[in-house]
Amino acid sequence: MSDIKFYKEKHLPLEMHKVRIVQKLNLLPIEKRLENISKAGNNTFLLRNKDVYLDMLTDSGTNAMSDRQLGAMMIADDSYAGSETFYRMEKAVQNFFGKEYFLPAHQGRACEHILAKSLVKEGDVVPMNYHFTTTKTHINLQGGRVEELYKDKAIELVSDEPFKGDMDLVKLENLINEVGAEHIPFVRIEMGTNLIGGQPVSLQNVEDVSSICKKYNIPLMIDASLITDNLYFNKVREERCKDMSIHEIALAISKCADIIYFSARKLGSAKGGGIVVDSKEYFDNMKELIPVYEGFLTYGGMSTREMEAVAIGLEEACDIDMISHGPEFIEEFGRILQEYNIPIVTPTGGLGLHINAREFVGHVKETEFQSAALASAIYIVSGARGMERGTLSEEKNPDGSEHIASCELVRLALPRRVFTLSQIRYIADRLAWLYDNRHLIGGLRFTEEPKVMRFFIGRLEPTSDWQEKLVAKFKEDFGDSL
Ligand SMILES: *Cc1c(COP(=O)(O)O)cnc(C)c1O
């Protein structure tokens, strides 16, 4: 908790929970790690989890559940239609967002599918603070296009801007005037903006965007998947939120939106998702799609056990002690890395720590996937797997050339309440070694390149024998140590 004072400790993110179930981890020798990453085509998505020491790939569906969530799973009412479990989850969703209508879906991208299908037409333009991979793909598949209206400060990697996720209001009005409100099915704000480093959006900005939307009669959609981290930052960084409870802030944000959707793999710390609206018209338009793509209206592809866990997870999302672990551990992680002069995105955000790969491995060619190369090197030297968030995650230009990403990052996700401070110190120490030996890191090239979202299952190989050299140097410095 952020406001506890200490006697000798300068920085201590203090857990307001205790760990009562543990899972054994493996830390394999470095030769094995090299073998595994080669077999995985240098794509951390393709590693087997048993070969990973710290799974920092994502915070999606990997957060630790609470004792109350696990307990609730035991009372799930399993029924195809009309289960009590559904009504408990519906009530929790209605209560959290203060909106009446809830449509269940099996995860966040499933909500995006339903929303894009029912709202986006060929030629439409969807303004947003920043895109998310699956969101953009669903909009593109409907023939629409995404316009990102972030402030220039959003992509300045080193900054003290507290709300880098804010949308640029001038750019928004200009875009509306340029393309015409009739071609804009909705404006989307992503809370805890994922791809620029889990950066928050201020309550003020949500209200300002909402006013503009109302002026032009355009619906405002909020992606609330990462809202818990965002709420934490509203509380600690936004003056007007200091005396509000987490739930009051959530309701104030929600009030501005016509449509909200979320991944319960993040918000709710279980597995599932849903769409929330206060207009019956939206509800009626979308409800027919749920049984076609997700499952009947009272489960939407989720297991009833997970739905029970989400219901409790939403209650716990209003408790600052339950949501502070992620952002506070990430801040501490970032502080240690900065001591080692490692280039990271600041201020640190939610969901994970972001390393600036463009600076870390600036000597690697931009077309040889700096972030992916660094992610591969991190696994080799530490057994931790992060995720490439850079050029490899972009779609290529229409002419077949690489679309060089505006930010070239490696994300080390911190699933909420999962890792300890010693594990953070371990990975930071390995990163310090890697940074001092960064000249050994080389580039990657594709051996198998899928056409859509290539970062998920594409395979790559090193452009030279740099990985063998990295392993040799590691052994020289650390001997037989893992
Ligand atoms: C993870 C995420 C999604 C997709 O959710 P899934 O449950 O993983 O499909 C959508 N939007 C944001 C902002 C996310 O972080």
Side-chain angles (χ1 to χ4, degrees):
M1 259 292 284
S2 49
D3 53 4
I4 294 180
K5 301 216 170 25
F6 297 101
Y7 180 47
K8 295 204 174 186
E9 287 287 346
K10 281 203 191 63
H11 312 271
L12 194 61
L14 192 63
E15 296 89 340
M16 296 305 288
H17 58 259
K18 61 181 177 180
V19 179
R20 291 166 61 219
I21 295 181
V22 296
Q23 179 181 0
K24 189 179 176 325
L25 293 173
N26 294 317
L27 181 53
L28 302 171
I30 190 162
E31 293 86 354
K32 271 270 168 229
R33 303 198 294 250
L34 174 60
E35 200 182 305
N36 293 332
I37 198 72
S38 311
K39 268 197 227 147
N42 286 279
N43 183 344
T44 53
F45 277 99
L46 302 181
L47 286 165
R48 290 184 62 157
N49 203 31
K50 71 174 176 55
D51 299 329
V52 172
Y53 174 51
L54 301 177
D55 186 12
M56 298 182 156
L57 185 72
T58 176
D59 61 322
S60 178
T62 52
N63 299 305
M65 284 209 222
S66 70
D67 49 356
R68 289 185 59 216
Q69 287 183 293
L70 285 169
M73 290 173 97
M74 294 296 109
I75 58 159
D77 177 27
D78 248 328
S79 169
Y80 189 88
S83 80
E84 277 308 296
T85 293
F86 172 75
Y87 295 105
R88 279 193 280 270
M89 177 171 174
E90 182 185 51
K91 196 163 156 219
V93 171
Q94 287 166 333
N95 182 52
F96 185 79
F97 290 110
K99 295 204 183 293
E100 188 172 349
Y101 297 105
F102 166 57
L103 291 163
H106 80 275
Q107 64 183 103
R109 70 200 70 186
C111 303
E112 293 169 341
H113 176 218
I114 303 286
L115 290 162
K117 249 197 151 57
S118 67
L119 299 169
V120 179
K121 297 185 305 296
E122 184 82 34
D124 276 354
V125 178
V126 181
M128 48 184 73
N129 51 345
Y130 208 79
H131 81 281
F132 184 69
T133 49
T134 52
T135 325
K136 185 174 176 180
T137 304
H138 280 298
I139 289 167
N140 291 158
L141 286 172
Q142 292 303 309
R145 126 179 109 81
V146 163
E147 281 286 343
E148 293 174 321
L149 308 177
Y150 50 85
K151 294 188 174 165
D152 300 337
K153 282 184 175 168
I155 54 168
E156 273 172 22
L157 298 185
V158 178
S159 152
D160 47 19
E161 170 65 40
F163 292 103
K164 284 186 181 174
D166 282 1
M167 188 178 284
D168 188 310
L169 305 173
V170 176
K171 288 185 191 164
L172 175 60
E173 281 216 84
N174 288 348
L175 181 76
I176 296 171
N177 290 320
E178 191 188 311
V179 303
E182 66 281 13
H183 298 297
I184 301 180
F186 54 86
V187 170
R188 171 179 174 275
I189 296 183
E190 180 179 313
M191 306 307 291
T193 326
N194 193 323
L195 298 191
I196 58 166
Q199 297 291 329
V201 180
S202 62
L203 168 58
Q204 190 60 47
N205 188 252
V206 175
E207 289 180 352
D208 294 343
V209 171
S210 164
S211 306
I212 296 177
C213 288
K214 287 207 170 70
K215 178 169 155 195
Y216 293 95
N217 209 10
I218 302 170
L220 176 61
M221 176 187 291
I222 286 183
D223 178 345
S225 303
L226 299 177
I227 198 171
T228 53
D229 301 330
N230 204 107
L231 291 168
Y232 170 84
F233 290 123
N234 292 122
K235 174 95 180 155
V236 302
R237 292 184 188 169
E238 195 168 359
E239 194 52 46
R240 60 180 286 201
C241 295
K242 287 220 156 58
D243 297 323
M244 295 168 79
S245 72
I246 293 292
H247 195 207
E248 281 165 352
I249 307 169
L251 290 173
I253 290 170
S254 172
K255 206 172 90 191
C256 298
D258 302 284
I259 304 161
I260 298 179
Y261 73 94
F262 63 97
S263 163
R265 299 173 66 85
K266 294 149 191 170
L267 171 59
S269 287
K271 293 183 184 70
I275 300 170
V276 200
V277 291
D278 34 28
S279 133
K280 180 142 190 343
E281 196 186 322
Y282 279 134
F283 177 79
D284 286 340
N285 286 345
M286 287 185 287
K287 76 175 180 200
E288 291 172 13
L289 296 175
I290 301 289
V292 179
Y293 294 105
E294 297 300 306
F296 190 65
L297 277 174
T298 57
Y299 73 94
M302 284 179 277
S303 91
T304 49
R305 290 190 171 201
E306 295 290 341
M307 292 164 75
E308 292 283 0
V310 174
I312 301 293
L314 284 167
E315 272 176 34
E316 293 178 343
C318 299
D319 177 352
I320 188 137
D321 284 344
M322 296 302 267
I323 65 173
S324 60
H325 175 271
E328 289 183 0
F329 263 56
I330 293 163
E331 188 184 354
E332 178 67 7
F333 190 7
R335 200 188 55 72
I336 302 172
L337 293 187
Q338 280 182 307
E339 260 173 32
Y340 300 145
N341 296 316
I342 296 173
I344 62 165
V345 175
T346 60
T348 52
L351 87 122
L353 188 285
H354 294 72
I355 300 176
N356 179 354
R358 186 161 284 149
E359 209 177 305
F360 199 117
V361 286
H363 59 281
V364 175
K365 279 193 212 145
E366 285 192 321
T367 50
E368 291 185 1
F369 309 114
Q370 296 169 328
S371 308
L374 180 56
S376 168
I378 291 173
Y379 173 74
I380 294 171
V381 304
S382 71
R385 69 162 154 183
M387 188 191 290
E388 191 275 355
R389 294 276 78 158
T391 300
L392 193 85
S393 298
E394 297 283 338
E395 307 280 319
K396 277 184 166 170
N397 293 321
D399 69 1
S401 62
E402 286 297 342
H403 176 81
I404 304 296
S406 51
C407 305
E408 197 70 63
L409 308 175
V410 172
R411 179 182 84 187
L412 296 169
L414 257 70
R416 296 163 188 87
R417 308 184 296 230
V418 170
F419 295 127
T420 64
L421 206 50
S422 345
Q423 289 167 329
I424 300 297
R425 291 221 169 105
Y426 161 80
I427 170 81
D429 185 72
R430 284 288 184 264
L431 285 168
W433 181 85
L434 189 60
Y435 189 61
D436 288 343
N437 291 280
R438 61 190 180 278
H439 62 280
L440 293 172
I441 302 172
L444 297 174
R445 63 180 160 235
F446 268 104
T447 54
E448 274 178 53
E449 186 175 354
K451 286 203 184 61
V452 187
M453 292 211 268
R454 57 188 184 164
F455 63 93
F456 276 133
I457 51 171
R459 305 181 75 85
L460 302 100
E461 64 181 9
T463 52
S464 69
D465 63 350
W466 64 266
Q467 296 181 329
E468 282 75 18
K469 291 197 173 120
L470 188 68
V471 171
K473 182 67 174 25
F474 183 96
K475 297 207 66 118
E476 202 181 303
D477 290 356
F478 294 111
D480 284 335
S481 162
L482 301 171

